Amino acid sequence: MSTTPPLSDADRAHLGRAVALGRRGWGRVHPNPMVGCVLVRDGEVVAEGWHGEFGGPHAETVALEAAGPAARGATAYVSLEPCRHEGKTPACTRALMASGVARVVFGAADPGAESGGGGAELARAGIEVVGPVFDEPEAHSLNPAFHHRFASALPWVALKLAVSLDGRIAEREGVRTTLSGSESAAAVHTLRAGFDGILVGGTTGRVDDPLLTVRGAVEPRVPPVRIVLDPAAAIPSDAAVFEAAAEVPLWVFTRDDAAEAELERLETAGASVHPVPAIGPHELDLGHVLRHCAVAGVGAILCEGGGRLAASLLNGDFVRRLYWVVVPRLLGTEGVPAFPDVVGSDAAGVVWTPAEPARLRGPDTWITLDRREA
Ligand code: AOF
Ligand code: ZN
């Protein structure tokens, strides 16, 4: 494998297109990565493909089938290294070799023990291979939960908060405040579709009374589990989260010394209740909660607040991505600060880097940041 000769502007553009195609798999392919593929011959795009469904054909296979004989002599641009394993579908390396493509340019290395190494295999077969083109941070930011799985036993945690210009998340303590606009609300539903679990703290669960389901443009292949941290087991039985409990699982984590009668009440209302150790009167052991989630197959979690849970997750260095929604309002001194108690100097030392360009959604600005790994 080699990264020479250098990529032309056209190469980079085609690879960028492959990345964009891959994103169409959002909500449908995880825990697999999102992958796109573009086949180009004599400067012309002959076919495109993407991994559209978990267990379904890979991006390369889709594109090669669409191209047919036109793939011969073409360059395949793939956002991820072509797999060399027989998984749920045949190895992409074999399909590429059989198709007669002359060159393969790929973005991210595949970290899988069995799937990875496809680039070297293609090179041994006489195909010109260029890649990995992306450095590690870029590769990770495209499919963060997928890559995280190879490095950590804990779930990949993203934190989404809508914050006023003066850093506040609600008008007053205990008052439900809709800060962000309808465009942001639509984006949140799309965002939720790509996660295994949606997490909120008990105060948010009570005050905002969210449903936490996905009701947007992307229908998730598996609806994310709703996860509420409610140390005192105090969430009322008529809270909105219980509404859809028959269709979308609801997990409530409580202190392990919470009143038995309350735990039973929550179970009866439709929740799966998980008592866990507490590390303070209002705070559960988040490492314990997250390990439980990982073991149960919840590998990517979106936390949507509130401020105290957000602060605890940051203090514990559990957050890998921030979706920071800046709302152009000032809430003033009565407003609830986004982080009432970020105390840990560890959190202050973390460096965040942009994962994608900031984006306007209606009046709000979305800033997406990834924790830079040491
Ligand atoms: C590719 N192209 O489009 C994707 C790849 O269980 P399987 O057979 O679907 O294989 C999943 C693994 O294959 C996944 O963990 C990752 O390593 C790779 N994904 N590879 O060449 C694709 N989605
Ligand atoms: Zn493959």
Side-chain angles (χ1 to χ4, degrees):
M1 250 186 301
S2 106
T3 46
T4 53
L7 292 181
S8 68
D9 289 348
D11 284 331
R12 290 200 179 274
H14 291 310
L15 196 54
R17 172 71 182 158
V19 168
L21 289 168
R23 291 191 202 278
R24 297 184 183 180
W26 179 255
R28 305 299 308 179
V29 300
H30 65 280
N32 271 357
M34 297 179 286
V35 185
C37 175
V38 182
L39 295 172
V40 178
R41 197 169 73 166
D42 302 328
E44 298 286 326
V45 174
V46 293
E48 297 182 331
W50 63 94
H51 185 40
E53 197 70 24
F54 179 83
H58 286 186
E60 300 90 317
T61 313
V62 175
L64 290 171
E65 279 188 4
R72 190 152 295 278
T75 295
Y77 297 87
V78 199
S79 58
L80 181 74
E81 181 176 23
C83 70
R84 61 174 176 85
H85 75 308
E86 304 285 331
K88 295 181 195 66
T89 68
C92 289
T93 45
R94 288 189 169 274
L96 286 163
M97 288 177 211
S99 72
V101 301
R103 183 169 175 248
V104 172
V105 178
F106 69 90
D110 186 331
E114 291 177 346
S115 51
E121 188 172 295
L122 290 167
R124 281 195 297 276
I127 294 175
E128 183 191 338
V129 177
V130 183
V133 173
F134 303 151
D135 63 14
E136 227 177 75
E138 185 173 9
H140 280 230
S141 75
L142 296 176
N143 280 298
F146 169 70
H147 286 281
H148 183 77
R149 218 172 57 223
F150 293 90
S152 169
L154 290 179
W156 182 75
V157 177
L159 170 63
K160 185 228 85 190
L161 275 190
V163 180
S164 68
L165 291 173
D166 52 347
R168 293 168 196 275
I169 57 171
E171 275 164 6
R172 257 174 303 124
E173 196 73 56
V175 172
R176 179 179 185 160
T177 308
T178 305
L179 269 188
S180 46
S182 55
E183 294 87 350
S184 283
V188 168
H189 282 283
T190 300
L191 188 63
R192 283 180 182 173
F195 285 81
D196 302 313
I198 312 296
L199 168 69
V200 295
T203 309
T204 300
R206 273 193 305 281
V207 176
D208 287 0
D209 199 22
L211 253 175
L212 299 179
T213 53
V214 181
R215 307 179 301 281
V218 178
E219 162 101 22
R221 181 178 66 87
V222 180
V225 175
R226 286 98 44 83
I227 307 166
V228 180
L229 303 194
D230 183 21
I235 185 165
S237 308
D238 61 356
V241 276
F242 291 106
E243 269 173 38
E247 299 97 65
V248 187
L250 168 66
W251 296 352
V252 178
F253 285 87
T254 69
R255 294 172 60 100
D256 54 9
D257 57 358
E260 194 64 37
E262 296 302 322
L263 304 187
E264 274 171 28
R265 177 181 64 78
L266 296 175
E267 290 269 4
T268 306
S272 263
V273 180
H274 305 284
V276 294
I279 54 172
H282 306 295
E283 211 172 315
L284 301 177
D285 178 342
L286 292 177
H288 199 107
V289 169
L290 294 174
R291 276 192 299 279
H292 180 104
C293 290
V295 169
V298 173
I301 293 178
L302 178 65
C303 174
E304 297 194 19
R308 255 187 301 270
L309 174 57
S312 300
L313 285 168
L314 286 168
N315 280 335
D317 199 14
F318 294 116
V319 181
R320 289 291 171 275
R321 173 168 289 185
L322 296 173
Y323 295 101
W324 203 250
V325 184
V326 180
V327 179
R329 283 179 63 184
L330 294 167
L331 291 179
T333 49
E334 281 200 8
V336 179
F339 302 128
D341 43 25
V342 172
V343 289
S345 53
D346 291 356
V350 170
V351 177
W352 299 91
T353 53
E356 51 193 60
R359 196 163 157 184
L360 276 179
R361 290 191 163 109
D364 309 327
T365 307
W366 281 60
I367 299 170
T368 306
L369 300 165
D370 280 340
R371 183 194 188 287
R372 195 196 287 157
E373 302 299 333

